[in-house]
Amino acid sequence: MKILSLRPWLSLCLLLLMLGASPVAAESPRLVRVGAFSLYPAIFLDADGKINGFYVDMLAEVAAKENLRIEYVYGSWNEGLERIKSGDVDLLTSVAYTEERARFMDYGKKPLLTVWAELYVRKDSIIDSIMKVDGKKVAVMKNDYNARYFIDMVKKFGFHCDFLEVADFDQVFLAVQQGRADAGVANVIFGSSKRQKYGLKSSEVMFNPFDIYFTVARGRNADLLATLDRYLDSWRLDENSVYHQARQKWGGGQAATVEVIPLWVYQAAGGLLVVMAVGLGFIVLLRRQVRLDTEVIVQRESSLKEKNVEMERFVYTVSHDLRSPLITVKSFLALLEQDLKAGDAQLVGKDIEYIKLSADRMERLLNELLQLSRVGRVDSQPVEISYRELINEILATVAGQITSKGVEVHVDDQQLQLYGDAVRLAQIWQNLVDNAVKYMGDQQQPKIDLGFEFVQGQPVFYVSDNGMGFDPAYSEKIFELFQQLDGHSDGSGLGLALVKRIVELYNGRIWAESAGRGQGSCFRFTLPAALGIQGENA
Amino acid sequence: MIKGEPIVILLAEDDPAHAEIVRRNMARSRIANRLEHVNNGQEALDYLYRRERFSDPALSPRPGLILLDLRMPRIDGLEVLKTIKSDPGLARIPVVVLTTSAAETDVARAYDHHANSYLVKPIDFSMFTSLLETIGFYWLIWNQNPQPGYRD
C-alpha cells in the first residue's frame, strides 16, 4: 500500500498550525465532513448514537493513513443531498449516478458497490410480481433514485399506485410493517439486512441494478475523491484490505475470522464466489426480466383476443342491423311498384314513408358507427376543463329536448377540474342525458339529477332520472352494441356503447342501476385518467 | 286436414315495417288466417298468458302458430321461446323463428330451446314473398297441428 505524498496546501496547513493543539500529530488533520444517513449496514446511527457501518470502517482506514478527521453529519438522504449542495458536507457515500445529480456533484471513478432495488412486502402479502402492484400503496424514500425508477416502471406498465413519501428506508419499512403501505421500495443492501427486523420479505420484484459511488460537491474536494479512488483500487486487489474485511464483517453480520487458511485459497474461492454471485445475480435478473416481459406479452395477447372477439361480434351485429332496414327498403320498393300500378295512393304514401324511415335509420346507424370508431383515436390535445363548465355546455346543447319534454334538471353545485378531450368527455354526459330524456316514459314530473360523490377518495359521477328504468337483469346488457331495451325509440343502440368506450378510454368503469321498470335509472361512472396528472414525486 | 277453428297466427315482431311486410304478403298469398301482431317479447308473453290488454279471449285467441323474431326489446325472442317450451300448456304450439340473424349461436340456441323451425328473412322481396307463401302452405295446410288440451 502506498503512502501518499503530502499536497502543497497541506504543507501550508502545517505551517499555520504549528501551534497545533495535538501534541502527537505533527500536523493538524484535515477535516472532512461526511453526510451520513440510515442505510444499514453500509452507514447508520448505532444504538450508542455513533455513526457506524461498512463505509465508516473504510473511511476510518483512509483517515488514519491520510491524516483526515472525519466528521459525520447525520440526517435523511434528502438532507444529505441538500447539504452537499450548500457545502455543509464535503462527501457523500452510496450515491447512484443520475444526470441531474451530476450537475452538482462529482462522482468517484470506482464504484463502491453494485446494488439493485427490491420491492419489500409483509410476509403475508400476495404481491409477488409487478403485475400485482396495480392499485396498491407503495412507500418510497424521498428523492431516492430507486423510487424514481420504480414510479417510472409502474407508469410504463400502465398501473396506478399511490406513493407514500418518507425520509429514509427505515421509515419505508415501518410504513409497510404498520400497514400504512402495501409495499416499500428499498435497495437490497438495506433490505436484506433489515427485512427480518420489520417482518417483511422481498416481493421478488427486483429492478434498477446500479453502481453506487462516493461523491463530492461539484468542483470541490477533487483530491479527496482521487484519494478514495486510489484506496478502493488497491483494496480491491488485496484480500486483507479493510474493504474486504468490512464487507465480510457487515455483510455476514459477524466480525471477520482470524486467518488460518492460506491467502490464495481465499483469493481463489473468493474470486470464484464473486464470479458465481455475479453470474447468479445476472441470471436472476435476466429471468425476472423475461418473466415480466412474458407476462406483458400474455396480457397483451389476451386483450387482443378480447378485442378480436368484440370486433367479430361488432361486424356481425352491424351487418345484421344494416340488413334489417335493407329488407324494409327492398320490400317496400317492390310493394310501391305494385301499389303504383294499382293506383292506390294511400298505400303509395305509406310505402314511401317506410322507405324513408329505413333510410334514415341506416344513416343514423352509419353516423354513430363512425363516431364509435373515432373514440380510440386521439384527435386533440388534452385540455383542462371545469366540470361545471362542461355540464353547462352539455345542458345548452340538449336544452331543446329538455324544455320540450318539460324535464327538470338539477345539477349539484360542485367544483372539479377535469383533464382530457373536451368533446369526448362531453359526449359521455350528452348521451346519458339524451338517454334519460328518451326513456322518460309517461312520467308526469320528469327529473334528471347530475353530480358526483366521493367514494374511497375517487369521484363517482352520476346521471339519474325518474323515468322508465329497466329490469336489473339487463344492467350489463344495455352497454352492449345495438341493445335497446325498448324498441322504436329513435336511438340506434349505440349511444351507451359509445359512452362505455369513452369511459374506458379514461380508465374508468360505468354501471347502471335501476330498481326495476318504472323505477327510474341511475348511471354511475368513474374517470380516473381525467382527473389531472397526479403530482410526480421523488 | 284442417280440423275445427282456423289457425290463428301470432307474429312477434318489433319492427313495424317488417310486420307490415308479413301482413301484406300473407294477404297477397290469400292466407286468410287471423294474424295477431305483438311488438316485443313482453307483449308476446302477455298475449299468451292473457295478461294486461290481452285478457279478453275473444280478442286474443290462442294461436296455432307463432312467428317469432329473435332480437326484440324488453324480453328477447329466445327468452319467449324458452318460456313457451317449458310451459306444458303452451309447449305444443309450433314456434317458427323468423329473424334477420343467421348467426350460428342464434340458430343453435333456438333449437336448444326446441324451436320448430328457423327461418332467416331474405333481403330480396320476391324471396320473402315466396318464403311466406311456403310458411302458409306448410304450417297452415300440410302440417298436422296438435289439438289444444289433448291428454294421453
Side-chain angles (χ1 to χ4, degrees), chain A residues 288-302:
Chain A
R288 199 73 59 203
Q289 198 52 47
V290 168
R291 211 182 72 188
L292 290 182
D293 288 350
T294 314
E295 276 178 48
V296 171
I297 291 167
V298 167
Q299 220 180 30
R300 268 197 211 138
E301 200 185 72
S302 83

Side-chain angles (χ1 to χ4, degrees), chain A residues 188-263:
Chain A
V188 70
I189 305 180
F190 179 85
S192 49
S193 59
K194 282 281 187 84
R195 58 166 193 248
Q196 284 297 346
K197 184 186 157 197
Y198 287 96
L200 306 185
K201 64 174 183 184
S202 168
S203 66
E204 312 266 297
V205 176
M206 296 175 170
F207 50 95
N208 193 27
F210 61 95
D211 293 330
I212 54 179
Y213 301 87
F214 282 125
T215 60
V216 294
R218 180 132 203 211
R220 294 166 57 187
N221 294 309
D223 58 319
L224 182 63
L225 209 54
T227 307
L228 289 168
D229 272 342
R230 211 155 30 231
Y231 275 97
L232 278 173
D233 241 2
S234 62
W235 284 344
R236 289 238 164 123
L237 299 173
D238 180 1
E239 280 299 313
N240 287 321
S241 71
V242 64
Y243 177 81
H244 290 280
Q245 281 173 14
R247 281 193 77 160
Q248 229 178 327
K249 173 179 161 194
W250 295 107
Q254 300 156 340
T257 46
V258 182
E259 204 175 306
V260 278
I261 302 165
L263 184 61

Side-chain angles (χ1 to χ4, degrees), chain A residues 17-24 28:
Chain A
L17 300 165
M18 270 314 248
L19 315 160
S22 162
V24 183
S28 178

Side-chain angles (χ1 to χ4, degrees), chain A residues 47 68 136 194 216 234 328 360 474 527:
Chain A
L68 306 175
K136 296 283 190 286
K194 282 281 187 84
V216 294
S234 62
T328 306
D360 288 349
Y474 289 91
L527 295 169

